[in-house]
């Protein structure tokens, strides 16, 4: 009897395992299908933009293609790359992104390091003031008047100084700094290290995932930002690439109102230039992201698990 019960129990477990394996395979198959659909939904529009940027004016006017145009032309890219203002705007974008990322990351890291110390006097007040800035702003007009009073209008530093602080980034770094063992800091201070030495030699090297995440977030924002130039910059020599793209689009829309025949001719060329400019402005971010992907994924997991 006991042998029969053991065989029946073993058979039930085997049957249960088979059912679970079958359910697991179905679940994995559904996930793969959903992932493929999601990938297609994202990739096809992006590929269509890239393909359209290589289309001739005739093929772009017809618009009867999805994956590749019937007539290829590099005229759109020639027109964009031969425009001196595009290269000047590219230089401004690269400069404000690089300098902005370095300044923003360093500023937020120093502030987060100070606020991570529980014995800091006035720490609650500083934290409350920072949290308030996450929910409330002065508004567009008061901010404009402040930028004007600081003498930042039509200067390169209007891209850097107002964007130095993001309290959201400070919170991310502050929580990461709190996880650094206090014994490391105590050992360094016993050897005579200053707070600055502790920050640069211990906290900063151990916080590379968090710093890389903050740098990537702010770098993407700096690269895509055009509202700062639109509100505070009138000198076209200081226009970033995104503002130049916005200018191309608005000029195209203005030209389309001149008449149907003229609009047809202008739009086919201007639309191709717009698409080529979009591709050119997107390529640097696509190239930089793989270099920071490892740190970015680690940074996204900050605080998700303990120990």
């Amino acid at each position: 009897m006991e042998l029969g019960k053991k065989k029946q129990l073993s058979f039930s477990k085997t049957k249960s395992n088979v059912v679970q394996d079958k359910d697991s395979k179905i679940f994995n198959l559904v996930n793969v299908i959903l992932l493929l659909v999601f990938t297609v939904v994202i990739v096809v529009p992006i590929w269509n933009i890239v393909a359209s940027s290589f289309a001739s004016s005739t093929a772009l006017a017809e618009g009867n293609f999805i994956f590749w145009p019937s007539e290829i032309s590099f005229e759109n890219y020639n027109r964009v790359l031969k425009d001196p203002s595009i290269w000047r705007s590219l230089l401004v974008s690269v400069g404000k992104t690089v300098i902005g990322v370095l300044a923003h990351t360093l500023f937020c890291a120093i502030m987060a390091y100070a606020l991570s110390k529980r014995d800091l006097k006035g720490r609650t007040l500083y934290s409350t003031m920072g949290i308030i800035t996450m929910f409330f702003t002065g508004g567009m007009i008061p901010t404009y008047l402040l930028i004007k009073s600081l003498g930042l209008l039509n200067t390169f530093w209007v891209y850097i100084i107002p964007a130095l602080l993001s309290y959201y980034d400070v919170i991310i770094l502050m929580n990461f700094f709190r996880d650094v063992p206090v014994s490391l800091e105590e050992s360094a201070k016993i050897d005579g290290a200053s707070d600055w030495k502790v920050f640069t030699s211990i906290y900063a090297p151990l916080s590379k995932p968090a710093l890389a995440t903050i740098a990537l977030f702010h770098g993407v924002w700096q690269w895509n930002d055009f509202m700062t130039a639109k509100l505070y910059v009138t000198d076209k020599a200081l226009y970033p690439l995104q503002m130049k793209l916005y200018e191309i689009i608005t000029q195209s829309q203005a030209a389309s109102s001149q008449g149907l025949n003229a609009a047809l001719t202008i739009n086919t060329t201007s639309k191709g230039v717009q698409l080529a400019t979009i591709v050119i402005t997107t390529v640097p971010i696509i190239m930089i992201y793989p270099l920071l992907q490892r740190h970015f994924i680690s940074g996204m997991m900050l605080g998700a698990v303990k120990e």
Side-chain angles (χ1 to χ4, degrees):
M1 290 293 291
E2 293 181 359
L3 183 60
K5 289 182 179 179
K6 289 182 179 179
K7 288 183 177 180
Q8 186 177 1
L9 183 60
S10 177
F11 176 76
S12 299
K13 289 183 178 180
T14 304
K15 185 176 180 181
S16 177
N17 292 334
V18 171
V19 173
Q20 289 179 358
D21 291 341
K22 185 177 180 180
D23 291 341
S24 178
K25 289 180 180 179
I26 294 174
F27 180 75
N28 291 335
L29 180 61
V30 172
N31 283 339
V32 170
I33 294 174
L34 291 176
L35 183 61
L36 289 175
V37 172
F38 186 68
T39 303
V40 169
V41 169
I42 293 177
V43 170
V44 170
I46 296 176
W47 178 255
N48 182 257
I49 292 175
V50 175
S52 299
S53 67
F54 286 99
S56 64
S57 58
T58 304
L60 199 57
E62 294 174 354
N64 55 355
F65 65 91
I66 296 178
F67 296 103
W68 198 251
S70 57
E71 187 178 348
I72 299 176
S73 174
F74 294 95
E75 187 60 31
N76 297 326
Y77 287 94
N78 287 335
R79 183 175 172 184
V80 171
L81 297 177
K82 287 182 178 179
D83 187 352
S85 61
I86 289 289
W87 292 102
R88 184 173 61 245
S89 299
L90 177 62
L91 183 62
V92 172
S93 289
V94 171
K96 83 185 191 76
T97 300
V98 173
I99 298 175
V101 165
L102 293 176
H104 174 85
T105 305
L106 179 61
F107 191 85
C108 290
I110 292 174
M111 185 173 180
Y113 173 71
L115 291 176
S116 66
K117 306 302 178 185
R118 300 187 183 277
D119 57 347
L120 176 68
K121 294 182 179 180
R123 177 173 170 271
T124 303
L125 175 62
Y126 301 145
S127 299
T128 303
M129 293 172 60
I131 292 173
I132 290 175
T133 63
M134 296 174 64
F135 299 97
F136 303 99
T137 62
M140 185 179 294
I141 294 176
T143 303
Y144 178 86
L145 295 176
L146 175 63
I147 296 296
K148 182 179 180 181
S149 66
L150 293 175
L152 295 176
L153 293 180
N154 281 323
T155 63
F156 177 79
W157 298 108
V158 75
Y159 300 122
I160 310 300
I161 295 177
L164 277 177
L165 177 64
S166 169
Y167 198 72
Y168 176 79
D169 295 343
V170 171
I171 290 176
I172 293 177
L173 292 171
M174 186 168 55
N175 291 331
F176 192 90
F177 289 156
R178 285 175 180 171
D179 292 335
V180 176
V182 181
S183 57
L184 294 176
E185 181 179 355
E186 292 175 349
S187 300
K189 287 191 174 181
I190 289 175
D191 293 336
S194 62
D195 287 326
W196 178 253
K197 183 67 175 178
V198 171
F199 171 73
T200 56
S201 299
I202 297 177
Y203 280 82
L206 293 176
S207 306
K208 286 182 180 179
L211 295 174
T213 302
I214 299 305
L216 183 60
F217 280 154
H218 190 70
V220 172
W221 179 85
Q222 279 281 10
W223 184 263
N224 292 328
D225 175 49
F226 81 97
M227 281 301 296
T228 301
K230 184 173 174 59
L231 293 175
Y232 309 125
V233 177
T234 57
D235 185 3
K236 292 188 176 182
L238 293 174
Y239 276 3
L241 201 56
Q242 300 298 335
M243 187 61 190
K244 183 62 180 178
L245 174 60
Y246 174 79
E247 189 178 45
I248 292 173
I249 294 174
T250 53
Q251 288 176 355
S252 174
Q253 292 175 347
S256 64
S257 63
Q258 295 179 359
L260 182 60
N261 294 331
L264 180 62
T265 304
I266 294 172
N267 279 337
T268 51
T269 304
S270 296
K271 186 177 180 181
V273 172
Q274 292 174 28
L275 296 172
T277 309
I278 291 172
V279 172
I280 292 173
T281 55
T282 307
V283 165
I285 295 297
I286 295 177
M287 294 175 62
I288 291 174
Y289 180 76
L291 302 177
L292 298 176
Q293 183 181 14
R294 177 171 57 87
H295 296 297
F296 178 72
I297 294 175
S298 300
M300 290 295 289
M301 296 298 294
L302 294 179
V305 294
K306 287 292 184 180
E307 303 298 331

